[in-house]
Amino acid sequence: MSETVSIHEALIYVMVITSASDAKMTDSELAAIGDMARTLPVFTDFDPADVLPAAQRCGERLQGETGLTDVLSLVADALPVHLYDTAYAMAVDVAAADMDVSREELRVLQILRDRLRLDKLTTAAIERGAIARHRRV
């Protein structure tokens, strides 16, 4: 694939594919994506107004026959290795945002772990952190 996306757009794509995997992007998940784009240090030089256009471009790319594979290739090509765990953490937080992690979201997380070659200890720590952050009283 000769196309490229920016690092910021690749991170948004990761969040969008996670949220869209179960065919319902909940308000909680959309809010989580917007919140991360506004507050995380990795988005310091990013205009939060660009989240929606980036999400729409991701959605358009996903419509193709090999959409998920194509998007994952764009993500892996755009992200430096030191941001792979960051991307995975953002995907986990989006999946956990509505307190209902679907089978489809779990599958996308698994595909993402494999595509980014993240080790089990790292992913377990990220997932455990998300459980702690999203727990309710």
Side-chain angles (χ1 to χ4, degrees):
M1 174 172 289
S2 62
E3 296 178 68
T4 60
V5 296
S6 70
I7 291 171
H8 296 125
E9 190 151 339
L11 292 169
I12 291 167
Y13 281 20
V14 166
M15 293 187 285
V16 169
I17 63 173
T18 304
S19 178
S21 64
D22 58 3
K24 57 180 187 217
M25 296 180 77
T26 67
D27 290 342
S28 299
E29 291 170 341
L30 294 172
I33 293 169
D35 289 347
M36 283 187 262
R38 280 189 304 280
T39 61
L40 291 180
V42 75
F43 284 107
T44 297
D45 298 325
F46 181 75
D47 182 353
D50 291 334
V51 170
L52 183 57
Q56 290 170 331
R57 285 189 294 276
C58 181
E60 290 166 6
R61 285 185 162 102
L62 287 171
Q63 298 304 311
E65 188 175 315
T66 58
L68 181 59
T69 301
D70 293 346
V71 168
L72 288 170
S73 292
L74 284 169
V75 166
D77 290 346
L79 292 178
V81 173
H82 74 275
L83 290 180
Y84 283 6
D85 57 352
T86 301
Y88 185 74
M90 294 166 74
V92 169
D93 276 349
V94 168
D98 61 3
M99 303 302 291
D100 180 31
V101 181
S102 70
R103 206 172 350 165
E104 295 86 1
E105 288 170 328
L106 290 172
R107 179 68 181 130
V108 165
L109 291 173
Q110 179 183 18
I111 292 168
L112 190 58
R113 280 192 305 263
D114 293 344
R115 183 70 169 98
L116 299 178
R117 295 175 303 282
L118 293 169
D119 65 88
K120 290 181 182 189
L121 186 58
T122 298
T123 58
I126 290 168
E127 292 161 5
R128 185 66 186 102
I131 290 168
R133 279 191 306 282
H134 293 275
R135 182 173 289 133
R136 295 190 182 176
V137 179

